[in-house]
Amino acid sequence: MTETGPQPIPQSPPNAIPAKRWAYVIPVAAIMYMLAYLDRNNVSVILPYMHGDLELSNADKGLVGGIFFVGYVFLQIPAAILAQRWSARKTVLLLMVAWGLAASLTGLVQTKSQFYVARFVLGFFEGGVWPAVLILLASWFPLRERARANALWMACLPLSSVLMAPLSGWMLDHASWRWVLVLQGVPPLLWAVVWWFAVADRPDRARWISRAEADHVERSIAADEAAKPSAVSGSYLDAVKQKSVLVLIGVYFFWITGFYGFNLWLPSVIKELTHDGSPTEVGLLTAIPFTIALAVMIANAAWSDRTGRRRQAVAVPLVVGIAALLLGQAVDGALPRMLLLCVTAAAVYAPYGPFWAIPGQLLRFEVVAVAMGLINALGNLGGFAGPYLVGWLTDVTGSSVTGFAVLSGFLAVAVALVTLGLRPSARPVRPLSGQAAEGA
């Protein structure tokens, strides 16, 4: 469905506006979150090689992966509000130091219960980083650039797996899993120094940006805000009670259940395909699906910004993911299964940029922080449900087939919600061509 949006405001030709923000803000934020994602997901590579330490069953391993997301809930909204009202730069800095210390301490656990607590604490401190960075990006990139900015930053998710899974595998070949966890908690402490000197909360506070670029960004964002319906500018409670926000929470929960259920167990599946290959071999093979996911994720976001079709950019990849997950359980042979793992990885990562462009399209800046924090907090509980369900069902049935079939069902609910629950918005985002297109 095509809708008519407001007429574009006169602006300088795009090529006349400097774009240093793409080279400064995105890379520093991406590396920062790449380190967070490493400390979150390194257990997926480590768990198959713990060799009976802590006596973890498959359900216990799923709980180790999933309990992170229980802690992840608590700082979502407080950190979003701090980022908006105080400083995204300072909020992320404090959380970066805290999660780095917590990640290193995870390697010192002696019991299963301590492992659970350590992972919970790590999730607690990492939880506020995501919404704080989304607030930061909303201050630097207008709506018609937002999906690409989000996707380029969020490209750190598959890129982290591309680079860090082989690194974790190599480290496991040369050190104990405890030392791997301890050492991988150190880089965030070092990157905090770079973050402090390289990042500014807004264009007018950055020393490296030209006045022309700062003025362009501020004018564009002000025009975006002025064009949003005033009905969405009320209190925090009014914003989060909107149907669209509630639907986005549901979409994110069911999508993330499938996403992390697949992610946590991917190295274990590849280990089976290689007939118990070495950690280095498994780590290198695990990087392949995430390399493909990285390219697809950026391409899908660019298409979403160009056309304004946010809903389709979320729903279509998830449909592909459902098909690949189900086919992967039905085919035999290492190569066909590996190809389907690659397709699934690309499909579950592709919606990230377009999805997180939708809240900023629907809500004014003064309330979008809380809405995004709530979406991320409740949606990421799926990160607990997915890994635990796969582990528990594997223990019960003796096979991962049932678990992955259930994950495909969760993805199907996400598709239904984003397709039927989110109707095209009254004010679609203007695509780059300046022509109106379908909104969220």
Side-chain angles (χ1 to χ4, degrees), residues 1-5 306-309 428-431 435-439:
M1 180 185 300
T2 301
E3 302 178 12
T4 302
R306 188 172 65 252
T307 64
R309 297 178 181 274
V429 63
R430 293 190 305 274
Q435 301 301 313
E438 183 188 28

Side-chain angles (χ1 to χ4, degrees), residues 93-183:
L93 178 76
L94 294 174
L95 293 172
M96 201 184 315
V97 173
W99 105 58
L101 294 173
S104 290
L105 291 174
T106 303
L108 305 181
V109 299
Q110 299 299 317
T111 67
K112 181 165 55 177
S113 297
Q114 290 176 2
F115 206 4
Y116 295 153
V117 171
R119 289 282 297 172
F120 175 90
V121 172
L122 177 62
F124 180 83
F125 287 123
E126 277 197 26
V129 177
W130 184 272
V133 175
L134 285 172
I135 295 301
L136 180 75
L137 296 182
S139 299
W140 279 95
F141 298 94
L143 272 177
R144 59 180 177 177
E145 298 175 344
R146 194 74 53 79
R148 283 174 300 140
N150 288 345
L152 286 172
W153 166 52
M154 295 171 192
C156 64
L157 305 183
L159 185 59
S160 177
S161 298
V162 169
L163 299 177
M164 302 307 182
L167 174 63
S168 295
W170 177 83
M171 291 177 72
L172 279 171
D173 273 334
H174 295 84
S176 72
W177 63 268
R178 294 183 183 278
W179 271 111
V180 173
L181 291 174
V182 170
L183 293 175

Side-chain angles (χ1 to χ4, degrees), residues 257-412:
T257 299
F259 177 89
Y260 278 110
F262 170 79
N263 261 20
L264 180 77
W265 290 101
L266 177 61
S268 297
V269 173
I270 290 178
K271 184 171 181 280
E272 291 178 8
L273 294 181
T274 60
H275 304 290
D276 293 327
S278 70
T280 300
E281 181 183 3
V282 171
L284 288 170
L285 288 174
T286 299
I288 296 173
F290 295 116
T291 303
I292 296 170
L294 174 63
V296 173
M297 182 178 173
I298 293 172
N300 189 49
W303 180 83
S304 171
D305 270 348
R306 188 172 65 252
T307 64
R309 297 178 181 274
R310 307 295 196 203
R311 293 182 307 141
Q312 290 90 331
V314 173
V316 172
L318 294 183
V319 171
V320 174
I322 293 166
L325 264 179
L326 294 176
L327 281 173
Q329 310 312 307
V331 301
D332 293 320
L335 182 58
R337 292 188 67 189
M338 187 66 186
L339 289 174
L340 288 168
L341 289 175
C342 291
V343 173
T344 304
V348 297
Y349 274 96
Y352 261 109
F355 178 86
W356 284 109
I358 294 173
Q361 182 177 332
L362 299 177
L363 301 169
R364 296 179 66 85
F365 184 77
E366 56 266 27
V367 295
V368 75
V370 168
M372 289 195 297
L374 187 65
I375 292 166
N376 201 42
L378 299 182
N380 264 293
L381 288 176
F384 171 80
Y388 183 74
L389 271 174
V390 174
W392 178 74
L393 288 170
T394 300
D395 277 340
V396 171
T397 64
S399 168
S400 61
V401 173
T402 306
F404 282 106
V406 169
L407 294 184
S408 68
F410 276 86
L411 293 178

Side-chain angles (χ1 to χ4, degrees), residues 68-79 120 123-125 127-128 377 381:
F68 171 96
F69 293 97
V70 179
Y72 197 79
V73 169
F74 291 92
L75 289 185
Q76 293 285 325
I77 293 176
F120 175 90
F124 180 83
F125 287 123
L381 288 176

